[in-house]
Amino acid sequence: MTPTPSVLPQNAFLRWTRKLADATEWLAAVILGLIIAVNLTAVLARYVFSSPVGWSEEAMRYGIVWAVYLAAGATFRRGEQMAIDLFRHPIFVRIAANVTLVSTLALAGVVVALGFPFLLDTGQVTPSIRLPMWIPYASVVVGYLLIAIQVIAVYFDPPNPDDGEDME
């Protein structure tokens, strides 16, 4: 049986969000790997060669921020974010899903709207590596856009709690 035309865009969207979650999670993992490499280089340079790398801490700091915001959407998609479940009855689950959708989209909208002006090139640069400040600021806006996309996907395709280990 062929799916109805109204289901096709939703299925395509859900497949795309899964791929997006996987891609952003891998990118965050690569960034964390680079942070480890920079940290190892900085330690070796300081204690073995007595020549500290001045930009390493700043690069690691902004790398961590980017990794966290990139992985936030994937975390939400998999249902691995922290949550408080007060009621487990099926009626409350649907109400909680609606509240989560509306409140997360509202928060993401506010963060993106208020954060967008920071993405304009103001001429500010970071102290050590002289990176334009809009690049670190963009991590917050990009992260909340990813969260907004994934919260919509989770509303239509909730994560299966049996996919991971039970933490209780």
Side-chain angles (χ1 to χ4, degrees), residues 16 20 23-25 27-28 31 65-74 107-119 134-151:
W16 177 76
L20 179 64
T24 55
E25 195 171 46
L27 184 56
I31 291 171
V65 171
W66 266 101
V68 166
Y69 278 107
L70 285 173
L107 177 62
V110 168
V111 170
V112 169
L114 294 177
F116 188 74
F118 289 101
L119 301 184
W134 68 266
I135 294 173
Y137 292 154
S139 65
V140 178
V141 174
V142 169
Y144 271 91
L145 284 173
L146 291 170
I147 290 170
I149 291 167
Q150 296 300 349
V151 75

Side-chain angles (χ1 to χ4, degrees), residues 80-132:
E80 297 171 345
Q81 78 281 7
M82 290 194 312
I84 299 172
D85 293 333
L86 295 177
F87 305 104
R88 293 181 185 255
H89 191 276
I91 290 175
F92 295 117
V93 170
R94 181 45 64 190
I95 292 170
N98 291 332
V99 169
T100 299
L101 176 70
V102 171
S103 61
T104 304
L105 288 177
L107 177 62
V110 168
V111 170
V112 169
L114 294 177
F116 188 74
F118 289 101
L119 301 184
L120 304 175
D121 191 7
T122 60
Q124 290 180 322
V125 293
T126 61
S128 295
I129 49 182
R130 312 297 294 166
L131 185 72

